[in-house]
């Protein structure tokens, strides 16, 4: 049941087909290059794109813009302590800023960092420090046909084999990403986090949780892990985070804000040194330790958002809305990864376009056609985004929080069903120009279709 209503509206429009064709051409068939006013339903990301509450806007008006000792920072500290159980935080402008602060303080050249699956900015920050990121997902995590309650889990045995090979001295940290964004947004159980805690104690590593989507993960834990059937989402989140030594938060996700982030560091003598190093690094890259690149009003919005994220009224509706879209797409004959994750529905473009080889970017074919058919913007997460990674060709439809209504999502279902109907005729794509770093090519490369699209003017 939806426990909120709209108080402010933003106009959107569906450009006509001719305009969409022209916009896609002008964008080099890369939807990152589209102007947002040419997009009707924007499912590119759930990051910073949600709607804030009246309570958040009210808090923003009272944001304390002091450079040092901002009262809004004190409010954020209190929220991080109450909601996440971290009494020491280092603020940053967004999640990747927090990653730079933490991994820059933890990782040395030659180190190895295991993660259930590195999100792309996490991977880049480990590499930037001279470290080697190693993914340790559980069996089936990257298989669109697999099913399971906690496919986001970290495979401790896989990581143990890595540690046996390189030596524990070279593994300063183990990271678990809640939910696992790079593996279809699947959740991680509390039992798994407990096992990782033991593993970290065994090898002497710092246990880091990427808690960007901690509330969505906690909702799945309550739903699927019998021990927590009667718990509140707030209690599950605290329990799950209590096992970590440090955490990374992008407030653009479950902070329910448009920008912001922070590092949480356990308040214990063993982490005093890490906390000091992180603060020094933050001053260099983010800003003084009581604002970290956020305006005081942003700190205030995040402080309120964190508390709202773990209320039942918010989180149940959030996860149910994403699931509703996944189920309707499935009924409409669009192949989706099941069970549906917490922040997005992942469409199996490889299954939709069996006539296209991975090198012809079936995911990009579906992304372009979703836009062409209905002005819907999703993002390719397959061979185009992760060249040579041997991953399934998926398209992510990420749902901004508290933003779209059911009729918007019905439009997405109708659009995707139309794409599925003629998917056999979709052309593949080739890259025309790309930036030097292959890892970043999907943000800015230009592409061209290998043949005209069904129904296009060409
Ligand atoms: N960690 C995870 C798991 C993320 O999903 C993201 C961002 C970050 C860290 C970095 O946070 O964007 O605030 O710098 N994910 C967005 C997405 C961009 O679309 O999935 P950020």
């Amino acid at each position: 049941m939806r426990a909120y209503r709209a108080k402010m509206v933003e106009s959107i429009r569906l450009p006509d087909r001719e305009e969409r064709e022209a916009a896609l051409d002008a964008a080099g068939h890369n939807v990152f290059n589209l102007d947002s006013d040419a997009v009707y339903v924007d499912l590119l990301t759930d990051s910073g794109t949600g709607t804030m509450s009246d309570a958040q806007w009210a808090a923003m008006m009272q944001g304390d813009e002091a450079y040092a000792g901002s009262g809004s920072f004190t409010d954020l500290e209190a929220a991080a302590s109450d909601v996440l159980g971290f009494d020491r935080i280092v603020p940053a402008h967004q999640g990747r800023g927090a990653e730079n602060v933490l991994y820059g303080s933890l990782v040395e050249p030659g180190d190895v960092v295991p993660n259930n699956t590195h999100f792309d900015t996490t991977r880049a920050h480990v590499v930037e420090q001279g470290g080697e990121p190693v993914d340790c997902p559980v069996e089936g995590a990257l298989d669109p046909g697999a099913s399971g309650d906690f496919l986001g889990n970290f495979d401790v045995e896989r990581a143990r084999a890595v540690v046996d090979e390189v030596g524990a001295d070279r593994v300063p940290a183990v990271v678990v990403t809640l939910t696992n964004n790079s593996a279809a947004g699947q959740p991680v159980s509390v039992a798994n986090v407990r096992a990782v805690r033991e593993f970290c104690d065994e090898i002497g590593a710092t246990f880091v949780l990427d808690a960007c989507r901690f509330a969505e993960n906690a909702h799945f834990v309550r739903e699927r892990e019998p021990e927590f059937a009667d718990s509140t989402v707030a209690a599950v989140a605290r329990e799950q985070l209590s096992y970590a030594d440090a955490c990374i938060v992008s407030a653009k996700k479950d902070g329910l804000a448009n920008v912001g982030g922070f590092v949480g560091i356990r308040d214990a003598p063993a982490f005093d040194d890490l906390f000091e190093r992180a603060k020094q690094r933050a001053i260099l890259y983010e800003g003084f330790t009581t604002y970290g690149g956020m305006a005081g009003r942003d700190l205030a919005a995040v402080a309120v958002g964190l508390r709202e994220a773990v209320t039942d009224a918010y989180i149940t509706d959030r996860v149910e809305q994403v699931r509703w879209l996944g189920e309707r797409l499935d009924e409409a004959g669009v192949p989706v990864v099941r069970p549906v994750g917490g922040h997005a529905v992942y469409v199996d473009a490889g299954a939709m376009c069996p006539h296209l080889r991975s090198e012809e970017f079936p995911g990009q074919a579906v992304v372009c056609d979703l836009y062409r058919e209905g002005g819907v913007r999703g993002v390719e997460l397959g061979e185009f985004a992760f060249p040579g990674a041997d991953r399934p060709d998926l398209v992510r439809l990420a749902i901004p929080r508290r933003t779209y209504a059911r009729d918007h999502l019905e439009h997405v279902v109708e659009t995707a069903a139309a794409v599925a109907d003629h998917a056999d005729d979709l052309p593949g794509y080739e890259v025309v120009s790309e930036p030097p770093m292959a890892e970043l090519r999907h943000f800015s490369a230009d592409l061209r279709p290998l043949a005209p699209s069904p129904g296009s003017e060409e």
Side-chain angles (χ1 to χ4, degrees), residues 73 86 88-93 96-108 129 206 208 245-248 261-266 270-293:
F73 179 67
F86 278 89
R88 294 200 291 204
I89 60 168
V90 182
H93 75 285
R96 66 201 68 183
E99 290 179 326
N100 179 28
V101 167
L102 184 67
Y103 299 122
S105 307
L106 265 179
V107 180
E108 308 263 315
Q129 298 308 317
T206 300
V208 180
D245 301 316
C247 69
I248 289 282
F262 56 88
V263 179
I265 295 177
R266 192 60 65 202
F271 298 104
D272 285 351
D273 185 45
L274 177 63
F275 186 48
E276 282 312 314
R277 270 183 288 145
K279 283 197 292 188
Q280 296 312 311
R281 195 170 170 88
I283 291 173
L284 201 57
Y285 289 103
E286 296 294 316
F288 187 64
T289 55
T290 59
Y291 73 89

Side-chain angles (χ1 to χ4, degrees), residues 419-434:
V419 173
D421 267 352
H422 61 222
D424 286 349
D425 301 323
L426 291 181
Y429 282 79
E430 67 182 354
V431 171
V432 184
S433 67
E434 58 185 311

Side-chain angles (χ1 to χ4, degrees), residues 93 171 236 270 303 337 427:
H93 75 285
V171 182
V236 175
V337 176

Side-chain angles (χ1 to χ4, degrees), residues 45-47 94-96 99 119 121-122 177 181 210 212-213 250 252-253 396:
T45 178
D46 65 318
S47 181
Q94 62 182 86
R96 66 201 68 183
E99 290 179 326
F119 178 68
T121 57
T122 320
T177 308
N181 189 11
D210 178 328
C212 292
R213 299 182 178 85
S250 163
K252 303 174 77 168
K253 283 80 170 177
R396 186 183 77 171

Side-chain angles (χ1 to χ4, degrees), residues 66 178 199 209 243 265 293:
L178 308 173
F199 176 60
L209 279 175
Y243 295 97
I265 295 177

